[in-house]
Amino acid sequence: MSDPRYPLGRFIFDGSSNPEKRAAWIARIAATPGRLRAAVSALDEPALERTYREGGWTIRQVAHHLPDSHLNAFVRFRLALTEDAPLIKPYDEAAWAELVDSRTAPVDVSLRLLEALHERWVILLGGMGDDDFARTFRHPEQAEPRSLDWLLALYAWHGDHHVAQIEQARAAVGRG
């Protein structure tokens, strides 16, 4: 049986990149806000409180997590583009998901935030060249520096991953 935490499987990066792969990853990032909006559309309050798996976050928390996480990724891109291999600050995503706004705010707030963020992020990504994507940052919990190519691939997967979790929860309540 597959792991319900990862309906699309875990993130895998083979270390290779090229302009075609980048264009596909950027297209997936550009599509994430619309896919999220479609995934949560017409869900009532009780449905937003459903979890995608036993012990998992609610649909509402997942919807709020996406802009939280993608804002951090956007900042990491900007740091890596303007500093030499900066050390980034991690954050406790599980603790963020328990904050009052993540548990109670209307999902439309995060949908609008994600739409604006991704519009700006895609502009940044579209103006980057090979040397820019090769730039790196350091994460204190990882031994090796990570490239912006790696981060781009990760966040293309990340949006798809969480939308799939919401679609999994919708299917479980008959709204798929």
Side-chain angles (χ1 to χ4, degrees):
M1 175 183 234
S2 65
D3 187 336
R5 295 174 299 175
Y6 300 98
L8 302 179
R10 291 183 180 266
F11 171 69
I12 298 171
F13 181 65
D14 67 9
S16 70
S17 182
N18 59 47
E20 293 77 25
K21 283 184 177 183
R22 287 185 198 119
W25 291 328
I26 292 168
R28 287 166 57 195
I29 286 172
T32 296
R35 292 188 62 234
L36 177 61
R37 186 172 287 282
V40 299
S41 69
L43 291 179
D44 58 17
E45 288 299 312
L48 289 170
E49 297 310 312
R50 298 278 305 206
T51 60
Y52 68 93
R53 68 173 176 86
E54 183 70 33
W57 290 341
T58 66
I59 292 173
R60 181 187 312 277
Q61 287 172 303
V62 173
H64 291 311
H65 165 72
L66 275 165
D68 287 347
S69 180
H70 291 204
L71 274 165
N72 275 282
F74 180 68
V75 168
R76 290 169 183 178
F77 265 87
R78 296 178 71 78
L79 288 170
L81 289 168
T82 59
E83 299 177 19
D84 291 328
L87 179 66
I88 58 96
K89 180 167 182 352
Y91 72 102
D92 184 341
E93 63 184 34
W96 284 34
E98 293 303 323
L99 292 172
V100 67
D101 61 324
S102 295
R103 288 184 293 102
T104 64
V107 294
D108 192 60
V109 172
S110 282
L111 292 170
R112 292 190 320 262
L113 177 58
L114 194 69
E115 288 163 351
L117 172 63
H118 278 230
E119 183 177 357
R120 177 123 177 243
W121 195 6
V122 167
I123 292 168
L124 177 67
L125 295 169
M128 292 172 59
D130 291 345
D131 289 344
D132 296 319
F133 283 105
R135 293 187 63 90
T136 62
F137 65 93
R138 294 173 296 121
H139 191 291
E141 297 167 359
Q142 297 169 341
E144 298 296 320
R146 298 292 186 167
S147 71
L148 292 182
D149 268 325
W150 176 86
L151 194 61
L152 177 64
L154 174 65
Y155 276 85
W157 171 86
H158 187 261
D160 293 346
H161 163 71
H162 285 300
V163 169
Q165 288 176 335
I166 292 170
E167 291 169 345
Q168 181 176 288
R170 280 184 72 113
V173 296
R175 290 184 171 90

PDB file of all heavy atoms in Angstrom, residues 138-154:
ATOM      1  N   ARG A 138      22.557  27.386   1.627  1.00  0.00           N
ATOM      2  CA  ARG A 138      22.840  26.333   2.597  1.00  0.00           C
ATOM      3  C   ARG A 138      21.690  26.258   3.594  1.00  0.00           C
ATOM      4  O   ARG A 138      21.196  27.277   4.057  1.00  0.00           O
ATOM      5  CB  ARG A 138      24.157  26.611   3.330  1.00  0.00           C
ATOM      6  CG  ARG A 138      25.366  26.541   2.398  1.00  0.00           C
ATOM      7  CD  ARG A 138      26.676  26.975   3.057  1.00  0.00           C
ATOM      8  NE  ARG A 138      26.610  28.386   3.422  1.00  0.00           N
ATOM      9  CZ  ARG A 138      26.759  28.856   4.657  1.00  0.00           C
ATOM     10  NH1 ARG A 138      26.979  28.055   5.675  1.00  0.00           N
ATOM     11  NH2 ARG A 138      26.689  30.153   4.899  1.00  0.00           N
ATOM     12  N   HIS A 139      21.289  25.048   3.889  1.00  0.00           N
ATOM     13  CA  HIS A 139      20.268  24.777   4.897  1.00  0.00           C
ATOM     14  C   HIS A 139      20.985  24.163   6.091  1.00  0.00           C
ATOM     15  O   HIS A 139      21.773  23.232   5.924  1.00  0.00           O
ATOM     16  CB  HIS A 139      19.222  23.802   4.327  1.00  0.00           C
ATOM     17  CG  HIS A 139      18.007  23.657   5.166  1.00  0.00           C
ATOM     18  ND1 HIS A 139      18.013  23.050   6.397  1.00  0.00           N
ATOM     19  CD2 HIS A 139      16.727  24.044   4.949  1.00  0.00           C
ATOM     20  CE1 HIS A 139      16.791  23.061   6.904  1.00  0.00           C
ATOM     21  NE2 HIS A 139      15.998  23.655   6.053  1.00  0.00           N
ATOM     22  N   PRO A 140      20.743  24.653   7.298  1.00  0.00           N
ATOM     23  CA  PRO A 140      21.492  24.146   8.452  1.00  0.00           C
ATOM     24  C   PRO A 140      21.272  22.662   8.747  1.00  0.00           C
ATOM     25  O   PRO A 140      22.089  22.050   9.438  1.00  0.00           O
ATOM     26  CB  PRO A 140      21.012  25.013   9.618  1.00  0.00           C
ATOM     27  CG  PRO A 140      19.753  25.641   9.170  1.00  0.00           C
ATOM     28  CD  PRO A 140      19.799  25.709   7.677  1.00  0.00           C
ATOM     29  N   GLU A 141      20.218  22.067   8.199  1.00  0.00           N
ATOM     30  CA  GLU A 141      19.943  20.651   8.456  1.00  0.00           C
ATOM     31  C   GLU A 141      20.413  19.748   7.312  1.00  0.00           C
ATOM     32  O   GLU A 141      20.160  18.544   7.336  1.00  0.00           O
ATOM     33  CB  GLU A 141      18.445  20.461   8.706  1.00  0.00           C
ATOM     34  CG  GLU A 141      17.965  21.203   9.945  1.00  0.00           C
ATOM     35  CD  GLU A 141      16.457  21.288  10.045  1.00  0.00           C
ATOM     36  OE1 GLU A 141      15.744  20.785   9.153  1.00  0.00           O
ATOM     37  OE2 GLU A 141      15.982  21.893  11.027  1.00  0.00           O
ATOM     38  N   GLN A 142      21.073  20.323   6.305  1.00  0.00           N
ATOM     39  CA  GLN A 142      21.555  19.546   5.157  1.00  0.00           C
ATOM     40  C   GLN A 142      23.064  19.719   5.025  1.00  0.00           C
ATOM     41  O   GLN A 142      23.584  20.833   5.175  1.00  0.00           O
ATOM     42  CB  GLN A 142      20.839  19.981   3.881  1.00  0.00           C
ATOM     43  CG  GLN A 142      19.346  19.718   3.941  1.00  0.00           C
ATOM     44  CD  GLN A 142      18.566  20.362   2.811  1.00  0.00           C
ATOM     45  OE1 GLN A 142      19.033  21.280   2.162  1.00  0.00           O
ATOM     46  NE2 GLN A 142      17.363  19.875   2.601  1.00  0.00           N
ATOM     47  N   ALA A 143      23.747  18.652   4.735  1.00  0.00           N
ATOM     48  CA  ALA A 143      25.211  18.679   4.684  1.00  0.00           C
ATOM     49  C   ALA A 143      25.738  19.483   3.496  1.00  0.00           C
ATOM     50  O   ALA A 143      26.724  20.209   3.629  1.00  0.00           O
ATOM     51  CB  ALA A 143      25.751  17.249   4.628  1.00  0.00           C
ATOM     52  N   GLU A 144      25.099  19.352   2.369  1.00  0.00           N
ATOM     53  CA  GLU A 144      25.591  19.979   1.143  1.00  0.00           C
ATOM     54  C   GLU A 144      24.744  21.188   0.761  1.00  0.00           C
ATOM     55  O   GLU A 144      23.527  21.195   1.001  1.00  0.00           O
ATOM     56  CB  GLU A 144      25.555  18.964  -0.010  1.00  0.00           C
ATOM     57  CG  GLU A 144      26.440  17.758   0.203  1.00  0.00           C
ATOM     58  CD  GLU A 144      27.913  18.098   0.273  1.00  0.00           C
ATOM     59  OE1 GLU A 144      28.363  18.964  -0.520  1.00  0.00           O
ATOM     60  OE2 GLU A 144      28.609  17.528   1.125  1.00  0.00           O
ATOM     61  N   PRO A 145      25.354  22.188   0.126  1.00  0.00           N
ATOM     62  CA  PRO A 145      24.555  23.301  -0.411  1.00  0.00           C
ATOM     63  C   PRO A 145      23.569  22.784  -1.456  1.00  0.00           C
ATOM     64  O   PRO A 145      23.799  21.754  -2.093  1.00  0.00           O
ATOM     65  CB  PRO A 145      25.596  24.218  -1.063  1.00  0.00           C
ATOM     66  CG  PRO A 145      26.910  23.794  -0.519  1.00  0.00           C
ATOM     67  CD  PRO A 145      26.776  22.355  -0.134  1.00  0.00           C
ATOM     68  N   ARG A 146      22.459  23.497  -1.630  1.00  0.00           N
ATOM     69  CA  ARG A 146      21.435  23.148  -2.612  1.00  0.00           C
ATOM     70  C   ARG A 146      21.389  24.225  -3.682  1.00  0.00           C
ATOM     71  O   ARG A 146      21.481  25.413  -3.379  1.00  0.00           O
ATOM     72  CB  ARG A 146      20.063  23.029  -1.944  1.00  0.00           C
ATOM     73  CG  ARG A 146      19.961  21.959  -0.897  1.00  0.00           C
ATOM     74  CD  ARG A 146      20.068  20.584  -1.501  1.00  0.00           C
ATOM     75  NE  ARG A 146      19.834  19.581  -0.476  1.00  0.00           N
ATOM     76  CZ  ARG A 146      19.626  18.318  -0.747  1.00  0.00           C
ATOM     77  NH1 ARG A 146      19.613  17.899  -1.991  1.00  0.00           N
ATOM     78  NH2 ARG A 146      19.419  17.457   0.219  1.00  0.00           N
ATOM     79  N   SER A 147      21.182  23.799  -4.913  1.00  0.00           N
ATOM     80  CA  SER A 147      21.097  24.754  -6.020  1.00  0.00           C
ATOM     81  C   SER A 147      19.668  25.257  -6.175  1.00  0.00           C
ATOM     82  O   SER A 147      18.707  24.633  -5.710  1.00  0.00           O
ATOM     83  CB  SER A 147      21.548  24.095  -7.323  1.00  0.00           C
ATOM     84  OG  SER A 147      20.570  23.157  -7.751  1.00  0.00           O
ATOM     85  N   LEU A 148      19.544  26.370  -6.866  1.00  0.00           N
ATOM     86  CA  LEU A 148      18.208  26.870  -7.171  1.00  0.00           C
ATOM     87  C   LEU A 148      17.494  25.957  -8.159  1.00  0.00           C
ATOM     88  O   LEU A 148      16.266  25.903  -8.155  1.00  0.00           O
ATOM     89  CB  LEU A 148      18.272  28.317  -7.660  1.00  0.00           C
ATOM     90  CG  LEU A 148      18.688  29.316  -6.585  1.00  0.00           C
ATOM     91  CD1 LEU A 148      18.672  30.740  -7.137  1.00  0.00           C
ATOM     92  CD2 LEU A 148      17.815  29.212  -5.345  1.00  0.00           C
ATOM     93  N   ASP A 149      18.232  25.210  -8.983  1.00  0.00           N
ATOM     94  CA  ASP A 149      17.590  24.175  -9.805  1.00  0.00           C
ATOM     95  C   ASP A 149      16.886  23.162  -8.910  1.00  0.00           C
ATOM     96  O   ASP A 149      15.743  22.780  -9.162  1.00  0.00           O
ATOM     97  CB  ASP A 149      18.621  23.443 -10.675  1.00  0.00           C
ATOM     98  CG  ASP A 149      18.799  24.054 -12.046  1.00  0.00           C
ATOM     99  OD1 ASP A 149      17.799  24.546 -12.626  1.00  0.00           O
ATOM    100  OD2 ASP A 149      19.931  24.020 -12.565  1.00  0.00           O
ATOM    101  N   TRP A 150      17.566  22.707  -7.873  1.00  0.00           N
ATOM    102  CA  TRP A 150      16.978  21.751  -6.940  1.00  0.00           C
ATOM    103  C   TRP A 150      15.736  22.351  -6.281  1.00  0.00           C
ATOM    104  O   TRP A 150      14.694  21.692  -6.180  1.00  0.00           O
ATOM    105  CB  TRP A 150      18.010  21.369  -5.877  1.00  0.00           C
ATOM    106  CG  TRP A 150      17.498  20.462  -4.803  1.00  0.00           C
ATOM    107  CD1 TRP A 150      17.449  19.099  -4.842  1.00  0.00           C
ATOM    108  CD2 TRP A 150      16.937  20.858  -3.543  1.00  0.00           C
ATOM    109  NE1 TRP A 150      16.899  18.626  -3.667  1.00  0.00           N
ATOM    110  CE2 TRP A 150      16.573  19.690  -2.849  1.00  0.00           C
ATOM    111  CE3 TRP A 150      16.708  22.093  -2.935  1.00  0.00           C
ATOM    112  CZ2 TRP A 150      15.999  19.700  -1.583  1.00  0.00           C
ATOM    113  CZ3 TRP A 150      16.137  22.111  -1.662  1.00  0.00           C
ATOM    114  CH2 TRP A 150      15.793  20.925  -1.007  1.00  0.00           C
ATOM    115  N   LEU A 151      15.845  23.614  -5.841  1.00  0.00           N
ATOM    116  CA  LEU A 151      14.721  24.263  -5.159  1.00  0.00           C
ATOM    117  C   LEU A 151      13.539  24.445  -6.105  1.00  0.00           C
ATOM    118  O   LEU A 151      12.384  24.261  -5.706  1.00  0.00           O
ATOM    119  CB  LEU A 151      15.164  25.609  -4.575  1.00  0.00           C
ATOM    120  CG  LEU A 151      14.226  26.260  -3.564  1.00  0.00           C
ATOM    121  CD1 LEU A 151      14.015  25.381  -2.337  1.00  0.00           C
ATOM    122  CD2 LEU A 151      14.754  27.630  -3.161  1.00  0.00           C
ATOM    123  N   LEU A 152      13.812  24.779  -7.351  1.00  0.00           N
ATOM    124  CA  LEU A 152      12.745  24.912  -8.350  1.00  0.00           C
ATOM    125  C   LEU A 152      12.019  23.579  -8.525  1.00  0.00           C
ATOM    126  O   LEU A 152      10.781  23.526  -8.493  1.00  0.00           O
ATOM    127  CB  LEU A 152      13.326  25.389  -9.679  1.00  0.00           C
ATOM    128  CG  LEU A 152      12.352  25.499 -10.843  1.00  0.00           C
ATOM    129  CD1 LEU A 152      11.286  26.551 -10.562  1.00  0.00           C
ATOM    130  CD2 LEU A 152      13.117  25.824 -12.127  1.00  0.00           C
ATOM    131  N   ALA A 153      12.767  22.507  -8.707  1.00  0.00           N
ATOM    132  CA  ALA A 153      12.148  21.182  -8.864  1.00  0.00           C
ATOM    133  C   ALA A 153      11.357  20.799  -7.614  1.00  0.00           C
ATOM    134  O   ALA A 153      10.244  20.259  -7.713  1.00  0.00           O
ATOM    135  CB  ALA A 153      13.223  20.135  -9.163  1.00  0.00           C
ATOM    136  N   LEU A 154      11.914  21.086  -6.436  1.00  0.00           N
ATOM    137  CA  LEU A 154      11.227  20.758  -5.182  1.00  0.00           C
ATOM    138  C   LEU A 154       9.880  21.467  -5.101  1.00  0.00           C
ATOM    139  O   LEU A 154       8.868  20.844  -4.753  1.00  0.00           O
ATOM    140  CB  LEU A 154      12.100  21.161  -3.984  1.00  0.00           C
ATOM    141  CG  LEU A 154      11.430  21.009  -2.613  1.00  0.00           C
ATOM    142  CD1 LEU A 154      11.125  19.550  -2.297  1.00  0.00           C
ATOM    143  CD2 LEU A 154      12.309  21.637  -1.527  1.00  0.00           C
TER     144      LEU A 154
END
